[in-house]
CSV table of all heavy atoms in Angstrom, one decimal:
chain,number,residue,atom,x,y,z
A,1,ASP,N,-147.4,-40.1,-121.1
A,1,ASP,CA,-148.0,-40.7,-120.0
A,1,ASP,C,-149.4,-40.4,-120.2
A,1,ASP,O,-150.0,-40.1,-121.1
A,1,ASP,CB,-147.5,-40.0,-118.8
A,1,ASP,CG,-147.9,-38.5,-118.6
A,1,ASP,OD1,-148.7,-38.0,-119.4
A,1,ASP,OD2,-147.3,-37.9,-117.6
A,2,ASN,N,-150.2,-40.8,-119.0
A,2,ASN,CA,-151.7,-40.9,-119.3
A,2,ASN,C,-152.3,-39.4,-119.4
A,2,ASN,O,-153.3,-39.3,-120.0
A,2,ASN,CB,-152.4,-41.4,-117.9
A,2,ASN,CG,-152.0,-42.9,-117.8
A,2,ASN,OD1,-151.8,-43.6,-118.8
A,2,ASN,ND2,-151.9,-43.4,-116.5
A,3,ASP,N,-151.5,-38.4,-119.0
A,3,ASP,CA,-152.1,-37.1,-119.1
A,3,ASP,C,-151.5,-36.3,-120.4
A,3,ASP,O,-151.7,-35.1,-120.6
A,3,ASP,CB,-151.8,-36.3,-117.9
A,3,ASP,CG,-152.5,-36.9,-116.7
A,3,ASP,OD1,-153.7,-37.3,-116.8
A,3,ASP,OD2,-151.8,-37.0,-115.6
A,4,GLY,N,-150.7,-36.9,-121.2
A,4,GLY,CA,-150.1,-36.3,-122.4
A,4,GLY,C,-148.6,-36.6,-122.4
A,4,GLY,O,-148.1,-37.7,-122.4
A,5,LEU,N,-147.7,-35.6,-122.2
A,5,LEU,CA,-146.3,-35.7,-122.3
A,5,LEU,C,-145.7,-35.6,-120.9
A,5,LEU,O,-146.1,-34.6,-120.1
A,5,LEU,CB,-145.8,-34.5,-123.3
A,5,LEU,CG,-146.1,-34.6,-124.7
A,5,LEU,CD1,-145.2,-33.5,-125.4
A,5,LEU,CD2,-145.5,-36.0,-125.3
A,6,GLU,N,-144.7,-36.5,-120.7
A,6,GLU,CA,-144.0,-36.3,-119.4
A,6,GLU,C,-142.6,-35.9,-119.9
A,6,GLU,O,-142.0,-36.3,-121.0
A,6,GLU,CB,-143.9,-37.7,-118.8
A,6,GLU,CG,-143.0,-37.7,-117.5
A,6,GLU,CD,-142.8,-39.0,-116.8
A,6,GLU,OE1,-143.5,-40.0,-117.4
A,6,GLU,OE2,-142.1,-39.2,-115.8
A,7,VAL,N,-142.0,-34.9,-119.2
A,7,VAL,CA,-140.7,-34.4,-119.6
A,7,VAL,C,-139.7,-34.3,-118.4
A,7,VAL,O,-140.2,-34.1,-117.3
A,7,VAL,CB,-140.8,-33.1,-120.3
A,7,VAL,CG1,-141.3,-32.1,-119.4
A,7,VAL,CG2,-139.3,-32.7,-120.7
A,8,GLU,N,-138.5,-34.8,-118.6
A,8,GLU,CA,-137.5,-34.7,-117.5
A,8,GLU,C,-136.3,-33.8,-118.2
A,8,GLU,O,-135.9,-34.1,-119.2
A,8,GLU,CB,-137.0,-36.0,-117.0
A,8,GLU,CG,-135.9,-35.8,-115.9
A,8,GLU,CD,-135.8,-37.2,-115.1
A,8,GLU,OE1,-136.5,-38.1,-115.4
A,8,GLU,OE2,-134.8,-37.2,-114.4
A,9,THR,N,-135.9,-32.8,-117.4
A,9,THR,CA,-134.7,-32.0,-117.9
A,9,THR,C,-133.5,-32.4,-117.3
A,9,THR,O,-133.4,-32.6,-116.0
A,9,THR,CB,-135.0,-30.4,-117.5
A,9,THR,OG1,-136.3,-30.1,-118.1
A,9,THR,CG2,-134.0,-29.6,-118.1
A,10,PHE,N,-132.5,-32.5,-118.0
A,10,PHE,CA,-131.1,-32.7,-117.6
A,10,PHE,C,-130.2,-31.5,-117.9
A,10,PHE,O,-130.0,-31.0,-119.0
A,10,PHE,CB,-130.6,-33.9,-118.4
A,10,PHE,CG,-131.3,-35.2,-118.2
A,10,PHE,CD1,-132.5,-35.5,-118.9
A,10,PHE,CD2,-130.8,-36.2,-117.1
A,10,PHE,CE1,-133.2,-36.7,-118.7
A,10,PHE,CE2,-131.6,-37.3,-116.9
A,10,PHE,CZ,-132.7,-37.6,-117.6
A,11,HIS,N,-129.8,-30.9,-116.7
A,11,HIS,CA,-129.3,-29.6,-116.9
A,11,HIS,C,-127.8,-29.7,-117.2
A,11,HIS,O,-127.1,-30.5,-116.8
A,11,HIS,CB,-129.5,-28.8,-115.5
A,11,HIS,CG,-130.9,-28.5,-115.2
A,11,HIS,ND1,-131.6,-27.4,-115.8
A,11,HIS,CD2,-131.9,-29.2,-114.5
A,11,HIS,CE1,-132.9,-27.4,-115.3
A,11,HIS,NE2,-133.0,-28.5,-114.5
A,12,GLY,N,-127.4,-28.6,-117.9
A,12,GLY,CA,-126.0,-28.5,-118.2
A,12,GLY,C,-125.6,-27.1,-118.6
A,12,GLY,O,-126.5,-26.3,-119.0
A,13,LYS,N,-124.3,-26.8,-118.7
A,13,LYS,CA,-123.8,-25.4,-119.2
A,13,LYS,C,-122.9,-25.6,-120.4
A,13,LYS,O,-122.3,-26.7,-120.5
A,13,LYS,CB,-123.0,-24.8,-118.1
A,13,LYS,CG,-123.8,-24.4,-116.8
A,13,LYS,CD,-124.6,-23.3,-117.1
A,13,LYS,CE,-125.3,-22.8,-115.8
A,13,LYS,NZ,-126.3,-21.6,-116.2
A,14,LYS,N,-123.0,-24.7,-121.3
A,14,LYS,CA,-122.3,-24.8,-122.5
A,14,LYS,C,-120.8,-24.6,-122.1
A,14,LYS,O,-120.3,-23.9,-121.3
A,14,LYS,CB,-122.6,-23.6,-123.5
A,14,LYS,CG,-124.0,-24.0,-124.1
A,14,LYS,CD,-124.3,-22.9,-125.3
A,14,LYS,CE,-125.7,-23.2,-125.8
A,14,LYS,NZ,-126.2,-22.2,-126.7
A,15,ILE,N,-120.0,-25.4,-122.8
A,15,ILE,CA,-118.5,-25.4,-122.7
A,15,ILE,C,-117.9,-24.6,-123.8
A,15,ILE,O,-118.1,-25.1,-125.0
A,15,ILE,CB,-118.0,-26.8,-122.5
A,15,ILE,CG1,-118.7,-27.5,-121.3
A,15,ILE,CG2,-116.4,-26.8,-122.4
A,15,ILE,CD1,-118.4,-29.0,-121.2
A,16,ASN,N,-117.1,-23.7,-123.6
A,16,ASN,CA,-116.4,-22.8,-124.7
A,16,ASN,C,-115.3,-23.5,-125.3
A,16,ASN,O,-114.1,-23.3,-124.8
A,16,ASN,CB,-116.1,-21.5,-124.1
A,16,ASN,CG,-115.7,-20.6,-125.2
A,16,ASN,OD1,-116.0,-20.7,-126.3
A,16,ASN,ND2,-114.8,-19.5,-124.8
A,17,THR,N,-115.5,-24.3,-126.3
A,17,THR,CA,-114.4,-24.9,-127.0
A,17,THR,C,-114.9,-25.4,-128.3
A,17,THR,O,-116.1,-25.6,-128.6
A,17,THR,CB,-114.0,-26.3,-126.2
A,17,THR,OG1,-113.0,-26.9,-127.0
A,17,THR,CG2,-115.0,-27.2,-126.0
A,18,ALA,N,-114.0,-25.3,-129.3
A,18,ALA,CA,-114.2,-25.9,-130.6
A,18,ALA,C,-114.2,-27.4,-130.6
A,18,ALA,O,-114.5,-28.0,-131.8
A,18,ALA,CB,-113.4,-25.2,-131.7
A,19,ASN,N,-113.7,-28.1,-129.7
A,19,ASN,CA,-113.5,-29.5,-129.6
A,19,ASN,C,-114.8,-30.3,-129.3
A,19,ASN,O,-114.7,-30.8,-128.2
A,19,ASN,CB,-112.3,-29.8,-128.8
A,19,ASN,CG,-111.0,-29.3,-129.3
A,19,ASN,OD1,-110.8,-28.9,-130.4
A,19,ASN,ND2,-109.9,-29.2,-128.5
A,20,LYS,N,-115.6,-30.2,-130.2
A,20,LYS,CA,-116.9,-31.0,-129.9
A,20,LYS,C,-117.3,-31.9,-130.9
A,20,LYS,O,-118.4,-32.4,-131.1
A,20,LYS,CB,-118.1,-30.0,-129.7
A,20,LYS,CG,-117.9,-29.1,-128.5
A,20,LYS,CD,-119.1,-28.2,-128.2
A,20,LYS,CE,-118.8,-27.3,-127.0
A,20,LYS,NZ,-119.9,-26.2,-126.9
A,21,HIS,N,-116.4,-32.3,-131.8
A,21,HIS,CA,-116.6,-33.3,-132.9
A,21,HIS,C,-116.8,-34.6,-132.3
A,21,HIS,O,-116.1,-35.0,-131.4
A,21,HIS,CB,-115.3,-33.4,-133.9
A,21,HIS,CG,-115.5,-34.3,-135.0
A,21,HIS,ND1,-116.6,-34.2,-135.9
A,21,HIS,CD2,-114.7,-35.3,-135.4
A,21,HIS,CE1,-116.4,-35.2,-136.8
A,21,HIS,NE2,-115.3,-35.9,-136.6
A,22,GLY,N,-117.9,-35.2,-132.7
A,22,GLY,CA,-118.4,-36.5,-132.2
A,22,GLY,C,-119.1,-36.5,-130.9
A,22,GLY,O,-119.4,-37.5,-130.3
A,23,THR,N,-119.6,-35.4,-130.5
A,23,THR,CA,-120.3,-35.2,-129.2
A,23,THR,C,-121.7,-36.0,-129.2
A,23,THR,O,-121.9,-36.9,-128.3
A,23,THR,CB,-120.7,-33.8,-128.9
A,23,THR,OG1,-119.4,-33.0,-128.8
A,23,THR,CG2,-121.3,-33.7,-127.7
A,24,GLY,N,-122.4,-35.8,-130.3
A,24,GLY,CA,-123.7,-36.5,-130.4
A,24,GLY,C,-123.4,-38.0,-130.5
A,24,GLY,O,-124.2,-38.8,-129.9
A,25,CYS,N,-122.4,-38.5,-131.1
A,25,CYS,CA,-122.1,-40.0,-131.3
A,25,CYS,C,-121.8,-40.4,-129.9
A,25,CYS,O,-122.3,-41.6,-129.4
A,25,CYS,CB,-120.9,-40.2,-132.2
A,25,CYS,SG,-121.2,-39.6,-133.9
A,26,THR,N,-121.0,-39.7,-129.1
A,26,THR,CA,-120.5,-40.1,-127.9
A,26,THR,C,-121.7,-40.3,-126.8
A,26,THR,O,-121.8,-41.2,-126.1
A,26,THR,CB,-119.4,-39.1,-127.4
A,26,THR,OG1,-118.3,-39.1,-128.3
A,26,THR,CG2,-118.9,-39.4,-125.9
A,27,TYR,N,-122.5,-39.2,-126.9
A,27,TYR,CA,-123.6,-39.1,-125.9
A,27,TYR,C,-124.6,-40.3,-126.1
A,27,TYR,O,-124.9,-41.1,-125.2
A,27,TYR,CB,-124.4,-37.8,-126.1
A,27,TYR,CG,-125.4,-37.3,-125.1
A,27,TYR,CD1,-125.6,-38.2,-124.0
A,27,TYR,CD2,-126.1,-36.2,-125.3
A,27,TYR,CE1,-126.5,-37.6,-123.0
A,27,TYR,CE2,-126.9,-35.7,-124.4
A,27,TYR,CZ,-127.2,-36.5,-123.2
A,27,TYR,OH,-128.1,-36.1,-122.3
A,28,ALA,N,-124.9,-40.6,-127.4
A,28,ALA,CA,-125.9,-41.7,-127.7
A,28,ALA,C,-125.2,-43.0,-127.4
A,28,ALA,O,-125.8,-43.9,-126.8
A,28,ALA,CB,-126.2,-41.7,-129.2
A,29,SER,N,-123.9,-43.2,-127.7
A,29,SER,CA,-123.3,-44.5,-127.4
A,29,SER,C,-123.2,-44.6,-125.8
A,29,SER,O,-123.2,-45.8,-125.4
A,29,SER,CB,-121.8,-44.5,-128.0
A,29,SER,OG,-121.9,-44.5,-129.4
A,30,ALA,N,-122.9,-43.6,-125.1
A,30,ALA,CA,-122.9,-43.7,-123.6
A,30,ALA,C,-124.3,-44.1,-123.1
A,30,ALA,O,-124.3,-44.8,-122.1
A,30,ALA,CB,-122.4,-42.3,-123.0
A,31,ILE,N,-125.3,-43.6,-123.7
A,31,ILE,CA,-126.5,-44.0,-123.2
A,31,ILE,C,-126.8,-45.5,-123.5
A,31,ILE,O,-127.3,-46.4,-122.5
A,31,ILE,CB,-127.7,-43.3,-123.9
A,31,ILE,CG1,-127.7,-41.7,-123.5
A,31,ILE,CG2,-129.1,-43.9,-123.7
A,31,ILE,CD1,-128.6,-40.9,-124.4
A,32,ALA,N,-126.4,-45.9,-124.6
A,32,ALA,CA,-126.6,-47.4,-125.0
A,32,ALA,C,-125.7,-48.3,-124.1
A,32,ALA,O,-126.2,-49.3,-123.6
A,32,ALA,CB,-126.1,-47.6,-126.4
A,33,ALA,N,-124.4,-47.8,-123.7
A,33,ALA,CA,-123.6,-48.5,-122.8
A,33,ALA,C,-124.2,-48.7,-121.4
A,33,ALA,O,-124.2,-49.8,-120.8
A,33,ALA,CB,-122.2,-47.8,-122.8
A,34,CYS,N,-124.9,-47.6,-121.0
A,34,CYS,CA,-125.5,-47.7,-119.7
A,34,CYS,C,-126.7,-48.6,-119.7
A,34,CYS,O,-127.1,-49.3,-118.8
A,34,CYS,CB,-125.9,-46.3,-119.2
A,34,CYS,SG,-124.4,-45.3,-118.8
A,35,LEU,N,-127.5,-48.6,-120.8
A,35,LEU,CA,-128.6,-49.4,-121.0
A,35,LEU,C,-128.2,-50.9,-121.0
A,35,LEU,O,-128.9,-51.8,-120.4
A,35,LEU,CB,-129.5,-49.1,-122.2
A,35,LEU,CG,-130.3,-47.8,-122.1
A,35,LEU,CD1,-130.8,-47.5,-123.6
A,35,LEU,CD2,-131.3,-47.8,-121.1
A,36,ALA,N,-127.2,-51.2,-121.6
A,36,ALA,CA,-126.5,-52.5,-121.7
A,36,ALA,C,-126.2,-53.0,-120.2
A,36,ALA,O,-126.2,-54.2,-120.0
A,36,ALA,CB,-125.3,-52.5,-122.6
A,37,LYS,N,-125.7,-52.0,-119.4
A,37,LYS,CA,-125.3,-52.4,-118.0
A,37,LYS,C,-126.6,-52.6,-117.1
A,37,LYS,O,-126.3,-52.8,-115.9
A,37,LYS,CB,-124.3,-51.4,-117.5
A,37,LYS,CG,-123.1,-51.4,-118.3
A,37,LYS,CD,-122.1,-50.3,-117.9
A,37,LYS,CE,-121.3,-50.7,-116.6
A,37,LYS,NZ,-120.2,-49.7,-116.4
A,38,GLY,N,-127.7,-52.4,-117.6
A,38,GLY,CA,-129.0,-52.5,-116.9
A,38,GLY,C,-129.6,-51.2,-116.2
A,38,GLY,O,-130.6,-51.5,-115.5
A,39,TYR,N,-129.0,-50.1,-116.4
A,39,TYR,CA,-129.6,-48.9,-116.0
A,39,TYR,C,-131.0,-48.6,-116.6
A,39,TYR,O,-131.1,-48.9,-117.9
A,39,TYR,CB,-128.7,-47.7,-116.1
A,39,TYR,CG,-127.4,-47.7,-115.2
A,39,TYR,CD1,-126.2,-48.1,-115.7
A,39,TYR,CD2,-127.5,-47.6,-113.8
A,39,TYR,CE1,-125.1,-48.1,-115.0
A,39,TYR,CE2,-126.4,-47.6,-113.0
A,39,TYR,CZ,-125.1,-47.9,-113.6
A,39,TYR,OH,-124.0,-48.0,-112.8
A,40,ASN,N,-131.9,-48.1,-116.0
A,40,ASN,CA,-133.0,-47.5,-116.7
A,40,ASN,C,-132.7,-46.3,-117.5
A,40,ASN,O,-131.6,-45.8,-117.3
A,40,ASN,CB,-134.3,-47.2,-115.7
A,40,ASN,CG,-134.0,-46.1,-114.7
A,40,ASN,OD1,-133.4,-45.0,-115.1
A,40,ASN,ND2,-134.4,-46.2,-113.5
A,41,LEU,N,-133.6,-45.9,-118.3
A,41,LEU,CA,-133.3,-44.9,-119.4
A,41,LEU,C,-133.0,-43.5,-118.7
A,41,LEU,O,-132.0,-42.9,-119.0
A,41,LEU,CB,-134.5,-44.6,-120.3
A,41,LEU,CG,-134.3,-43.6,-121.4
A,41,LEU,CD1,-133.0,-44.0,-122.3
A,41,LEU,CD2,-135.5,-43.5,-122.3
A,42,ARG,N,-133.6,-43.1,-117.7
A,42,ARG,CA,-133.4,-41.9,-116.9
A,42,ARG,C,-132.0,-41.8,-116.3
A,42,ARG,O,-131.2,-40.9,-116.5
A,42,ARG,CB,-134.4,-41.6,-116.0
A,42,ARG,CG,-135.7,-41.1,-116.6
A,42,ARG,CD,-136.8,-41.1,-115.6
A,42,ARG,NE,-138.1,-40.6,-116.3
A,42,ARG,CZ,-138.9,-41.3,-117.1
A,42,ARG,NH1,-138.6,-42.6,-117.4
A,42,ARG,NH2,-140.0,-40.7,-117.5
A,43,LYS,N,-131.6,-42.9,-115.8
A,43,LYS,CA,-130.3,-43.0,-115.1
A,43,LYS,C,-129.2,-43.1,-116.2
A,43,LYS,O,-128.2,-42.5,-116.1
A,43,LYS,CB,-130.3,-44.3,-114.2
A,43,LYS,CG,-128.8,-44.5,-113.4
A,43,LYS,CD,-128.7,-43.3,-112.5
A,43,LYS,CE,-127.5,-43.6,-111.6
A,43,LYS,NZ,-127.2,-42.5,-110.6
A,44,ALA,N,-129.5,-43.9,-117.3
A,44,ALA,CA,-128.6,-43.9,-118.3
A,44,ALA,C,-128.3,-42.6,-119.0
A,44,ALA,O,-127.1,-42.3,-119.4
A,44,ALA,CB,-129.1,-44.9,-119.4
A,45,VAL,N,-129.4,-41.8,-119.2
A,45,VAL,CA,-129.0,-40.4,-119.8
A,45,VAL,C,-128.3,-39.7,-118.8
A,45,VAL,O,-127.4,-38.9,-119.3
A,45,VAL,CB,-130.4,-39.8,-120.1
A,45,VAL,CG1,-130.3,-38.3,-120.5
A,45,VAL,CG2,-131.2,-40.5,-121.3
A,46,ALA,N,-128.6,-39.6,-117.5
A,46,ALA,CA,-127.9,-38.9,-116.5
A,46,ALA,C,-126.4,-39.2,-116.5
A,46,ALA,O,-125.5,-38.2,-116.5
A,46,ALA,CB,-128.5,-39.0,-115.2
A,47,ILE,N,-126.0,-40.4,-116.6
A,47,ILE,CA,-124.7,-40.9,-116.5
A,47,ILE,C,-124.1,-40.5,-117.8
A,47,ILE,O,-122.9,-40.0,-117.9
A,47,ILE,CB,-124.7,-42.4,-116.4
A,47,ILE,CG1,-125.0,-42.8,-114.9
A,47,ILE,CG2,-123.2,-42.9,-116.5
A,47,ILE,CD1,-125.2,-44.3,-114.7
A,48,ALA,N,-124.7,-40.7,-118.9
A,48,ALA,CA,-124.1,-40.4,-120.2
A,48,ALA,C,-123.9,-38.9,-120.4
A,48,ALA,O,-122.9,-38.5,-121.0
A,48,ALA,CB,-125.1,-40.8,-121.4
């Protein structure tokens, strides 16, 4: 932004499980799906 960096934090808690294979793929794909549906990036990240 005009003053340097703008940051928005999306809060979450760690989930105690070994079943996290594909988490990064899923998260990024969910963001893309939400962008495809017309959401702005912040809303897309929140939904994803």
Side-chain angles (χ1 to χ4, degrees):
D1 67 10
N2 294 331
D3 300 319
L5 288 183
E6 178 184 357
V7 59
E8 182 166 349
T9 302
F10 296 84
H11 295 278
K13 294 290 185 182
K14 290 182 180 176
I15 300 167
N16 185 23
T17 175
N19 294 344
K20 295 181 181 179
H21 181 51
T23 302
C25 304
T26 298
Y27 195 0
S29 295
I31 295 170
C34 291
L35 292 175
K37 296 173 81 170
Y39 292 107
N40 64 42
L41 181 58
R42 286 168 177 78
K43 183 67 172 177
V45 172
I47 295 172

